[in-house]
Amino acid sequence: LKKGDRVMNTFSYHLVPAGMCLDLAMKLLGAAVIPAGVGNTELQVQIMRDLKVTGFVGTIGFLTTIIKKAEDLGHNFKKEFNLRCAMLGGEMVPPSLRNSLEKDYGIRFIETYGTADLGLLSYDCEAKAGMHMAEGAIIEIVDPVTRKQLPPGEVGEVVATIFDRIYPLIRFGTGDLSYYTDEPCACGRTSHRLVRIVGRVGEAAKIRGMFVHPKQVEQVLAGFPQVTRFQL
């Protein structure tokens, strides 16, 4: 996203800070912001097409809903629309959609992770090998029970410290479960990377001494479409 882009911001502008924060960020870049908000899918399709929107900010779920609605209305999304890039947050991008966005629709995107209290905590790079921890925050992965820091590769709660002069937070527990890697990234950045969010604290079940998270099971089963119901 850069100066001159026409960006559709589909994050909510009320009760949550994402809409206003990203509105300001896009304007600082010199982009024109369309405060679309959520819902009204058919109207969003019309706005995206008629105003020749080049950038999208919002969730992967809503972006795919807009694309599907455009196709249901008889449009050829790749040929008739100008969307070329997206900044996605609020939910994880499924592996099945990563290639589809770029190959089928020509949309380059970055994935981000943050919370309403803490703001942006991590973000993708071109390598798509995990989300780099944002500067200006201290991010830890801790054992939800002992609260001790965990090494790379072990799943624990994301805990962050931010140094906001108005709203400082020290070791704020997000409730999200993730793990990180300290291996070098192909993009050249040296920061640690959150690999992905795997669930929420309290969802995990301990089986034979190992924590098993529902989203990990769902991720494995997603590779077997012939399985329609499962129980672990």
Side-chain angles (χ1 to χ4, degrees), residues 9-58:
N9 184 6
T10 65
F11 279 121
S12 176
Y13 277 70
H14 65 284
L15 297 180
V16 295
M20 289 300 296
C21 289
L22 289 163
D23 188 291
L24 176 61
M26 297 302 107
K27 287 174 180 174
L28 289 172
L29 287 174
V33 182
I34 302 161
V38 296
N40 301 308
T41 308
E42 285 196 25
L43 180 59
Q44 302 269 21
V45 170
Q46 183 182 349
I47 290 171
M48 187 177 283
R49 183 171 182 266
D50 292 354
L51 298 185
K52 302 185 187 304
V53 169
T54 58
F56 175 92
V57 174

Short mmCIF file of all heavy atoms in Angstrom, two decimals, residues 9-58:
data_model
loop_
_atom_site.label_atom_id
_atom_site.label_comp_id
_atom_site.label_asym_id
_atom_site.label_seq_id
_atom_site.Cartn_x
_atom_site.Cartn_y
_atom_site.Cartn_z
N ASN A 9 -11.25 0.42 3.46
CA ASN A 9 -11.03 -0.01 4.84
C ASN A 9 -12.32 -0.63 5.35
O ASN A 9 -13.30 0.06 5.62
CB ASN A 9 -10.62 1.19 5.69
CG ASN A 9 -10.28 0.80 7.13
OD1 ASN A 9 -10.25 -0.38 7.47
ND2 ASN A 9 -10.03 1.80 7.96
N THR A 10 -12.33 -1.95 5.51
CA THR A 10 -13.54 -2.66 5.93
C THR A 10 -13.53 -3.06 7.40
O THR A 10 -14.38 -3.84 7.82
CB THR A 10 -13.79 -3.90 5.05
OG1 THR A 10 -12.73 -4.84 5.26
CG2 THR A 10 -13.88 -3.54 3.58
N PHE A 11 -12.58 -2.53 8.16
CA PHE A 11 -12.65 -2.73 9.60
C PHE A 11 -13.68 -1.77 10.19
O PHE A 11 -13.91 -0.69 9.66
CB PHE A 11 -11.29 -2.50 10.27
CG PHE A 11 -10.36 -3.68 10.17
CD1 PHE A 11 -9.12 -3.55 9.56
CD2 PHE A 11 -10.72 -4.91 10.71
CE1 PHE A 11 -8.26 -4.64 9.48
CE2 PHE A 11 -9.86 -6.00 10.62
CZ PHE A 11 -8.63 -5.86 10.01
N SER A 12 -14.29 -2.17 11.29
CA SER A 12 -15.32 -1.36 11.92
C SER A 12 -14.72 -0.07 12.47
O SER A 12 -13.61 -0.05 12.98
CB SER A 12 -15.98 -2.15 13.06
OG SER A 12 -16.92 -1.35 13.73
N TYR A 13 -15.49 1.01 12.37
CA TYR A 13 -15.07 2.31 12.89
C TYR A 13 -15.67 2.60 14.27
O TYR A 13 -15.49 3.67 14.81
CB TYR A 13 -15.47 3.42 11.92
CG TYR A 13 -14.51 3.62 10.77
CD1 TYR A 13 -14.39 2.68 9.77
CD2 TYR A 13 -13.71 4.76 10.70
CE1 TYR A 13 -13.51 2.87 8.72
CE2 TYR A 13 -12.83 4.95 9.66
CZ TYR A 13 -12.72 4.00 8.66
OH TYR A 13 -11.85 4.19 7.63
N HIS A 14 -16.44 1.67 14.82
CA HIS A 14 -17.04 1.92 16.13
C HIS A 14 -16.79 0.75 17.07
O HIS A 14 -16.70 -0.40 16.65
CB HIS A 14 -18.55 2.16 15.98
CG HIS A 14 -19.31 0.96 15.50
ND1 HIS A 14 -19.29 0.55 14.19
CD2 HIS A 14 -20.10 0.08 16.16
CE1 HIS A 14 -20.04 -0.53 14.05
NE2 HIS A 14 -20.54 -0.85 15.22
N LEU A 15 -16.62 1.07 18.33
CA LEU A 15 -16.41 0.11 19.43
C LEU A 15 -15.05 -0.59 19.39
O LEU A 15 -14.61 -1.13 20.41
CB LEU A 15 -17.52 -0.93 19.49
CG LEU A 15 -18.93 -0.38 19.79
CD1 LEU A 15 -19.95 -1.52 19.83
CD2 LEU A 15 -18.96 0.37 21.12
N VAL A 16 -14.40 -0.67 18.25
CA VAL A 16 -13.05 -1.23 18.16
C VAL A 16 -12.15 -0.19 17.48
O VAL A 16 -12.62 0.62 16.69
CB VAL A 16 -13.02 -2.55 17.36
CG1 VAL A 16 -13.81 -3.63 18.09
CG2 VAL A 16 -13.57 -2.35 15.96
N PRO A 17 -10.85 -0.19 17.79
CA PRO A 17 -9.98 0.86 17.27
C PRO A 17 -9.42 0.61 15.87
O PRO A 17 -8.81 1.50 15.29
CB PRO A 17 -8.84 0.91 18.30
CG PRO A 17 -8.76 -0.49 18.81
CD PRO A 17 -10.17 -1.01 18.81
N ALA A 18 -9.60 -0.59 15.32
CA ALA A 18 -8.92 -0.95 14.07
C ALA A 18 -9.25 0.00 12.92
O ALA A 18 -8.37 0.44 12.18
CB ALA A 18 -9.27 -2.38 13.68
N GLY A 19 -10.53 0.31 12.75
CA GLY A 19 -10.94 1.16 11.63
C GLY A 19 -10.25 2.51 11.65
O GLY A 19 -9.66 2.94 10.65
N MET A 20 -10.31 3.19 12.78
CA MET A 20 -9.72 4.53 12.89
C MET A 20 -8.20 4.49 12.79
O MET A 20 -7.59 5.34 12.15
CB MET A 20 -10.15 5.19 14.20
CG MET A 20 -11.61 5.59 14.25
SD MET A 20 -12.07 6.78 12.96
CE MET A 20 -11.07 8.18 13.41
N CYS A 21 -7.58 3.49 13.45
CA CYS A 21 -6.11 3.40 13.43
C CYS A 21 -5.59 3.21 12.00
O CYS A 21 -4.64 3.87 11.59
CB CYS A 21 -5.64 2.24 14.31
SG CYS A 21 -5.84 2.53 16.08
N LEU A 22 -6.21 2.31 11.26
CA LEU A 22 -5.74 2.03 9.91
C LEU A 22 -6.14 3.13 8.93
O LEU A 22 -5.44 3.37 7.95
CB LEU A 22 -6.24 0.67 9.46
CG LEU A 22 -5.54 -0.48 10.20
CD1 LEU A 22 -6.30 -1.78 10.07
CD2 LEU A 22 -4.11 -0.64 9.69
N ASP A 23 -7.24 3.81 9.20
CA ASP A 23 -7.62 4.96 8.41
C ASP A 23 -6.51 6.01 8.46
O ASP A 23 -6.05 6.53 7.43
CB ASP A 23 -8.94 5.54 8.94
CG ASP A 23 -9.52 6.63 8.06
OD1 ASP A 23 -8.91 7.71 8.00
OD2 ASP A 23 -10.59 6.42 7.44
N LEU A 24 -6.05 6.29 9.68
CA LEU A 24 -4.97 7.26 9.87
C LEU A 24 -3.68 6.78 9.20
O LEU A 24 -2.98 7.56 8.54
CB LEU A 24 -4.73 7.49 11.37
CG LEU A 24 -3.56 8.41 11.74
CD1 LEU A 24 -3.77 9.80 11.16
CD2 LEU A 24 -3.40 8.48 13.26
N ALA A 25 -3.36 5.49 9.36
CA ALA A 25 -2.13 4.95 8.78
C ALA A 25 -2.12 5.09 7.25
O ALA A 25 -1.12 5.48 6.65
CB ALA A 25 -1.98 3.49 9.17
N MET A 26 -3.26 4.78 6.61
CA MET A 26 -3.34 4.87 5.15
C MET A 26 -3.20 6.32 4.69
O MET A 26 -2.55 6.61 3.68
CB MET A 26 -4.66 4.29 4.65
CG MET A 26 -4.88 2.81 4.91
SD MET A 26 -3.61 1.74 4.21
CE MET A 26 -2.75 1.26 5.71
N LYS A 27 -3.79 7.25 5.43
CA LYS A 27 -3.69 8.67 5.06
C LYS A 27 -2.26 9.18 5.20
O LYS A 27 -1.79 9.99 4.41
CB LYS A 27 -4.66 9.49 5.90
CG LYS A 27 -6.12 9.30 5.49
CD LYS A 27 -7.08 10.01 6.44
CE LYS A 27 -8.53 9.78 6.00
NZ LYS A 27 -9.50 10.34 6.98
N LEU A 28 -1.56 8.70 6.24
CA LEU A 28 -0.16 9.08 6.42
C LEU A 28 0.70 8.58 5.26
O LEU A 28 1.72 9.20 4.91
CB LEU A 28 0.37 8.55 7.75
CG LEU A 28 -0.17 9.23 9.01
CD1 LEU A 28 0.28 8.48 10.26
CD2 LEU A 28 0.28 10.68 9.08
N LEU A 29 0.30 7.47 4.65
CA LEU A 29 1.02 6.95 3.48
C LEU A 29 0.69 7.74 2.22
O LEU A 29 1.36 7.61 1.21
CB LEU A 29 0.65 5.48 3.25
CG LEU A 29 1.23 4.45 4.22
CD1 LEU A 29 0.64 3.08 3.94
CD2 LEU A 29 2.75 4.39 4.10
N GLY A 30 -0.38 8.53 2.27
CA GLY A 30 -0.78 9.29 1.09
C GLY A 30 -1.82 8.57 0.25
O GLY A 30 -2.04 8.92 -0.91
N ALA A 31 -2.48 7.58 0.84
CA ALA A 31 -3.51 6.84 0.12
C ALA A 31 -4.87 7.48 0.37
O ALA A 31 -5.10 8.09 1.42
CB ALA A 31 -3.53 5.38 0.56
N ALA A 32 -5.78 7.35 -0.59
CA ALA A 32 -7.16 7.78 -0.40
C ALA A 32 -7.92 6.65 0.28
O ALA A 32 -7.88 5.52 -0.20
CB ALA A 32 -7.80 8.12 -1.75
N VAL A 33 -8.60 6.95 1.38
CA VAL A 33 -9.27 5.93 2.17
C VAL A 33 -10.78 5.99 1.95
O VAL A 33 -11.39 7.05 2.05
CB VAL A 33 -8.96 6.08 3.67
CG1 VAL A 33 -9.64 4.97 4.47
CG2 VAL A 33 -7.46 6.05 3.91
N ILE A 34 -11.36 4.83 1.65
CA ILE A 34 -12.81 4.70 1.55
C ILE A 34 -13.27 3.98 2.82
O ILE A 34 -13.01 2.79 2.98
CB ILE A 34 -13.21 3.89 0.30
CG1 ILE A 34 -12.66 4.58 -0.95
CG2 ILE A 34 -14.72 3.73 0.21
CD1 ILE A 34 -12.58 3.68 -2.16
N PRO A 35 -13.94 4.68 3.76
CA PRO A 35 -14.33 4.07 5.04
C PRO A 35 -15.55 3.18 4.86
O PRO A 35 -16.66 3.53 5.25
CB PRO A 35 -14.61 5.28 5.93
CG PRO A 35 -15.07 6.33 4.98
CD PRO A 35 -14.33 6.11 3.68
N ALA A 36 -15.35 1.99 4.32
CA ALA A 36 -16.46 1.12 3.95
C ALA A 36 -17.08 0.41 5.14
O ALA A 36 -18.28 0.12 5.14
CB ALA A 36 -16.00 0.10 2.91
N GLY A 37 -16.29 0.09 6.16
CA GLY A 37 -16.81 -0.65 7.29
C GLY A 37 -17.21 -2.07 6.91
O GLY A 37 -16.77 -2.59 5.87
N VAL A 38 -18.06 -2.68 7.72
CA VAL A 38 -18.42 -4.08 7.51
C VAL A 38 -19.84 -4.19 6.94
O VAL A 38 -20.62 -3.26 6.99
CB VAL A 38 -18.35 -4.87 8.84
CG1 VAL A 38 -16.92 -4.91 9.35
CG2 VAL A 38 -19.25 -4.23 9.90
N GLY A 39 -20.13 -5.36 6.39
CA GLY A 39 -21.48 -5.65 5.89
C GLY A 39 -21.77 -5.07 4.52
O GLY A 39 -20.89 -4.53 3.84
N ASN A 40 -23.05 -5.19 4.08
CA ASN A 40 -23.51 -4.66 2.79
C ASN A 40 -22.64 -5.15 1.63
O ASN A 40 -22.09 -4.35 0.86
CB ASN A 40 -23.53 -3.13 2.80
CG ASN A 40 -24.44 -2.56 3.88
OD1 ASN A 40 -25.60 -2.94 3.98
ND2 ASN A 40 -23.90 -1.68 4.70
N THR A 41 -22.54 -6.46 1.50
CA THR A 41 -21.59 -7.04 0.55
C THR A 41 -21.80 -6.58 -0.88
O THR A 41 -20.84 -6.24 -1.59
CB THR A 41 -21.64 -8.58 0.62
OG1 THR A 41 -21.50 -8.99 1.98
CG2 THR A 41 -20.51 -9.19 -0.18
N GLU A 42 -23.04 -6.54 -1.35
CA GLU A 42 -23.29 -6.12 -2.73
C GLU A 42 -22.85 -4.68 -2.96
O GLU A 42 -22.28 -4.34 -4.00
CB GLU A 42 -24.77 -6.29 -3.09
CG GLU A 42 -25.17 -7.74 -3.33
CD GLU A 42 -26.50 -7.87 -4.06
OE1 GLU A 42 -26.89 -6.92 -4.78
OE2 GLU A 42 -27.15 -8.92 -3.91
N LEU A 43 -23.10 -3.81 -1.98
CA LEU A 43 -22.66 -2.42 -2.09
C LEU A 43 -21.13 -2.35 -2.09
O LEU A 43 -20.53 -1.54 -2.81
CB LEU A 43 -23.23 -1.60 -0.93
CG LEU A 43 -22.85 -0.11 -0.89
CD1 LEU A 43 -23.31 0.60 -2.16
CD2 LEU A 43 -23.45 0.55 0.34
N GLN A 44 -20.49 -3.19 -1.29
CA GLN A 44 -19.02 -3.22 -1.25
C GLN A 44 -18.46 -3.62 -2.61
O GLN A 44 -17.45 -3.09 -3.07
CB GLN A 44 -18.54 -4.21 -0.17
CG GLN A 44 -19.04 -3.92 1.23
CD GLN A 44 -18.10 -3.02 2.03
OE1 GLN A 44 -17.28 -2.30 1.47
NE2 GLN A 44 -18.24 -3.04 3.34
N VAL A 45 -19.11 -4.58 -3.27
CA VAL A 45 -18.68 -4.99 -4.61
C VAL A 45 -18.78 -3.82 -5.57
O VAL A 45 -17.86 -3.56 -6.36
CB VAL A 45 -19.55 -6.17 -5.12
CG1 VAL A 45 -19.27 -6.44 -6.60
CG2 VAL A 45 -19.28 -7.43 -4.29
N GLN A 46 -19.89 -3.09 -5.50
CA GLN A 46 -20.09 -1.94 -6.39
C GLN A 46 -19.05 -0.85 -6.13
O GLN A 46 -18.49 -0.27 -7.07
CB GLN A 46 -21.50 -1.37 -6.20
CG GLN A 46 -21.82 -0.22 -7.15
CD GLN A 46 -23.21 0.35 -6.91
OE1 GLN A 46 -24.01 -0.23 -6.19
NE2 GLN A 46 -23.48 1.50 -7.51
N ILE A 47 -18.80 -0.57 -4.84
CA ILE A 47 -17.80 0.44 -4.49
C ILE A 47 -16.43 0.04 -5.02
O ILE A 47 -15.71 0.85 -5.63
CB ILE A 47 -17.74 0.61 -2.96
CG1 ILE A 47 -19.01 1.29 -2.44
CG2 ILE A 47 -16.51 1.43 -2.54
CD1 ILE A 47 -19.12 1.29 -0.92
N MET A 48 -16.05 -1.23 -4.79
CA MET A 48 -14.73 -1.70 -5.21
C MET A 48 -14.55 -1.60 -6.72
O MET A 48 -13.48 -1.22 -7.21
CB MET A 48 -14.52 -3.14 -4.73
CG MET A 48 -13.11 -3.67 -4.98
SD MET A 48 -12.86 -5.34 -4.32
CE MET A 48 -12.68 -5.00 -2.58
N ARG A 49 -15.60 -1.90 -7.45
CA ARG A 49 -15.53 -1.87 -8.92
C ARG A 49 -15.60 -0.44 -9.46
O ARG A 49 -14.76 -0.02 -10.26
CB ARG A 49 -16.65 -2.71 -9.52
CG ARG A 49 -16.61 -2.81 -11.04
CD ARG A 49 -17.62 -3.83 -11.53
NE ARG A 49 -17.59 -3.99 -12.97
CZ ARG A 49 -18.38 -3.32 -13.83
NH1 ARG A 49 -19.27 -2.46 -13.37
NH2 ARG A 49 -18.28 -3.53 -15.13
N ASP A 50 -16.61 0.33 -9.02
CA ASP A 50 -16.83 1.65 -9.59
C ASP A 50 -15.74 2.66 -9.23
O ASP A 50 -15.38 3.52 -10.04
CB ASP A 50 -18.19 2.21 -9.12
CG ASP A 50 -19.37 1.43 -9.70
OD1 ASP A 50 -19.13 0.55 -10.55
OD2 ASP A 50 -20.51 1.71 -9.30
N LEU A 51 -15.18 2.54 -8.02
CA LEU A 51 -14.14 3.47 -7.59
C LEU A 51 -12.73 2.95 -7.89
O LEU A 51 -11.74 3.57 -7.49
CB LEU A 51 -14.28 3.77 -6.09
CG LEU A 51 -15.59 4.45 -5.67
CD1 LEU A 51 -15.56 4.80 -4.18
CD2 LEU A 51 -15.85 5.70 -6.48
N LYS A 52 -12.66 1.83 -8.59
CA LYS A 52 -11.37 1.24 -9.00
C LYS A 52 -10.42 1.12 -7.81
O LYS A 52 -9.28 1.59 -7.82
CB LYS A 52 -10.74 2.07 -10.12
CG LYS A 52 -11.62 2.19 -11.36
CD LYS A 52 -10.89 2.91 -12.48
CE LYS A 52 -11.82 3.17 -13.66
NZ LYS A 52 -12.46 1.95 -14.18
N VAL A 53 -10.92 0.47 -6.76
CA VAL A 53 -10.14 0.29 -5.53
C VAL A 53 -8.90 -0.57 -5.81
O VAL A 53 -8.99 -1.61 -6.46
CB VAL A 53 -11.03 -0.38 -4.45
CG1 VAL A 53 -10.18 -0.85 -3.26
CG2 VAL A 53 -12.11 0.58 -4.00
N THR A 54 -7.75 -0.11 -5.33
CA THR A 54 -6.50 -0.85 -5.54
C THR A 54 -6.01 -1.57 -4.28
O THR A 54 -5.20 -2.48 -4.36
CB THR A 54 -5.38 0.09 -6.03
OG1 THR A 54 -5.20 1.15 -5.07
CG2 THR A 54 -5.74 0.69 -7.38
N GLY A 55 -6.49 -1.13 -3.10
CA GLY A 55 -6.04 -1.74 -1.86
C GLY A 55 -7.20 -2.09 -0.95
O GLY A 55 -8.23 -1.40 -0.95
N PHE A 56 -7.04 -3.15 -0.17
CA PHE A 56 -8.09 -3.61 0.75
C PHE A 56 -7.49 -3.79 2.13
O PHE A 56 -6.39 -4.34 2.28
CB PHE A 56 -8.66 -4.95 0.25
CG PHE A 56 -9.65 -5.59 1.18
CD1 PHE A 56 -11.01 -5.34 1.04
CD2 PHE A 56 -9.23 -6.45 2.20
CE1 PHE A 56 -11.94 -5.93 1.90
CE2 PHE A 56 -10.15 -7.04 3.06
CZ PHE A 56 -11.51 -6.78 2.90
N VAL A 57 -8.21 -3.31 3.15
CA VAL A 57 -7.83 -3.53 4.54
C VAL A 57 -9.01 -4.18 5.25
O VAL A 57 -10.13 -3.66 5.21
CB VAL A 57 -7.45 -2.20 5.23
CG1 VAL A 57 -7.21 -2.42 6.71
CG2 VAL A 57 -6.22 -1.58 4.59
N GLY A 58 -8.77 -5.33 5.87
CA GLY A 58 -9.85 -6.03 6.56
C GLY A 58 -9.49 -7.47 6.82
O GLY A 58 -8.31 -7.83 6.86
#
